[in-house]
Amino acid sequence: MAGIGLFRAFDPKVRRHLISDEGEVVIDEVRHHWVVFTVPMLEIALAVILLFVMLWKNLGDAAFALLVIVLVLLGHAFWQFLTQHRDRFVVTNMRVMRIRGVFSQTVATTPIARILDITLQKPIIGRILGYGHFVFESAAQDQGFREIKYVSRPDDRDLTIQRVIQRTGLRASASVDVVQGDDDDSDDDGTGPIGMNSAAEVTTTTTTAPTHHTTSTRVAGTSSKSIFNSERGNWTDDPDHD
C-alpha cells in the first residue's frame, strides 16, 4: 500500500490540464500495461540477489564494485518505473492528450475530430497477456500520437475512442442539419430562409409618414404562422393582416 501511495504522488495530475469551464471531462485515462515494468522488476530482482551474495560471502575489495552495481540497477529500475508511470494517454469528450516526462513534462493535445484513422495492433504475446498497440493516422503525428504502445485492454479502449469520435461526428452533423434546415427539405429549395418556402411570393411595400417610415413584408400562403415575436410587435405571414 505504501508503494502504491508513493507512485500516486508521482501521478501527472491529468485534471489540471482539462478545460473545466468548457465542460471537458476525462472519458478514459490510459496507463501502460504491466508488461512494461518487466525489465525494471528483473533489475530489482538481480539487485536483491547481489545484496544477498554480499551479505553471505566475504568478497573483499569486490564488495564495493558489487554495491555500485546494485545501486545502479536500483536507480535505473526506479527511473524506468517513473517514466512509464507518468506516460499517460488521455481521451476526453473534446480531445486526446499525451502527457509524458518526469522532471520536464511534455503535454501534446489534438482535437478528437482530427483523428482520421486508428489501427489496433495485437501481437501474439499481446493477445495472451492482454495488451496492444495503437497507431493513429492524424494531423498530430509529429506530436507524439503516432504510436501508443502497450495499452491494456486494447479492445475496450478502441471502442471507447470510436464512441467518442462517433458522438462528436453526430453532434457536428446535427448542428449542420439545424443550420441548413435539413428537416424542412420539402418546403425549402435552398434559396430562401429556413422554414420559409422561397418559391412563395414576397412583396415589400413602403409607406411614407410625416414622422417615420414603415416597411411591411407580406408572404403569400395558405396558413398563418408567426415567424418573429418581439416586445415591439408580432410579425405574421397572414396576408389579411396589415
Side-chain angles (χ1 to χ4, degrees):
M1 296 300 293
I4 295 176
L6 176 62
F7 276 101
R8 284 181 178 176
F10 291 99
D11 278 347
K13 308 297 187 296
V14 171
R15 271 138 185 93
R16 70 173 57 177
H17 300 286
L18 300 180
I19 312 174
S20 301
D21 55 346
E22 295 294 336
E24 185 177 23
V25 295
V26 174
I27 303 298
D28 193 9
E29 183 177 342
V30 181
R31 297 174 174 84
H32 282 301
H33 189 267
W34 59 264
V35 74
V36 301
F37 300 109
T38 302
V39 173
M41 290 298 295
L42 291 176
E43 292 178 340
I44 293 175
L46 179 58
V48 171
I49 293 173
L50 293 178
L51 284 175
F52 275 107
V53 171
M54 291 173 57
L55 292 176
W56 286 98
K57 291 185 178 182
N58 186 11
L59 300 178
D61 295 336
F64 178 76
L66 198 60
L67 179 61
V68 171
I69 294 174
V70 169
L71 294 178
V72 170
L73 288 173
L74 292 176
H76 185 264
F78 184 70
W79 179 259
Q80 289 297 315
F81 268 113
L82 286 183
T83 302
Q84 299 295 342
H85 177 72
R86 290 181 61 85
D87 189 354
R88 303 291 175 87
F89 179 70
V90 183
V91 181
T92 75
N93 57 332
M94 296 181 181
R95 53 186 175 152
V96 292
M97 296 185 290
R98 189 175 186 183
I99 304 174
R100 294 180 292 176
V102 179
F103 295 114
S104 61
Q105 190 177 69
T106 301
V107 181
T109 65
T110 189
I112 195 74
R114 295 183 65 185
I115 298 178
L116 305 178
D117 190 19
I118 303 175
T119 301
L120 174 58
Q121 300 176 346
K122 293 190 292 183
I124 296 177
I125 187 66
R127 297 183 64 181
I128 297 174
L129 299 179
Y131 70 82
H133 311 308
F134 283 98
V135 179
F136 292 90
E137 299 292 341
S138 70
Q141 293 178 7
D142 57 339
Q143 297 181 7
F145 292 111
R146 171 63 180 172
E147 290 183 329
I148 308 296
K149 294 186 175 182
Y150 301 105
V151 176
S152 60
R153 298 188 291 112
D155 292 328
D156 294 339
R157 263 57 194 266
D158 181 47
L159 289 176
T160 298
I161 297 173
Q162 296 294 346
R163 288 190 186 100
V164 174
I165 295 175
Q166 183 69 12
R167 290 173 183 174
T168 303
L170 289 176
R171 292 193 190 100
S173 299
S175 300
V176 172
D177 290 344
V178 171
V179 172
Q180 295 181 348
D182 289 348
D183 293 337
D184 236 348
D185 288 339
S186 60
D187 297 330
D188 189 7
D189 61 0
T191 59
I194 299 173
M196 180 183 295
N197 189 350
S198 57
E201 179 184 357
V202 179
T203 306
T204 303
T205 60
T206 304
T207 304
T208 304
T211 58
H212 64 280
H213 297 277
T214 303
T215 301
S216 61
T217 302
R218 295 182 178 181
V219 181
T222 58
S223 62
S224 177
K225 180 176 63 174
S226 174
I227 60 173
F228 180 81
N229 290 296
S230 69
E231 296 178 355
R232 292 180 294 178
N234 182 18
W235 295 5
T236 69
D237 58 354
D238 188 354
D240 297 330
H241 184 274
D242 286 326

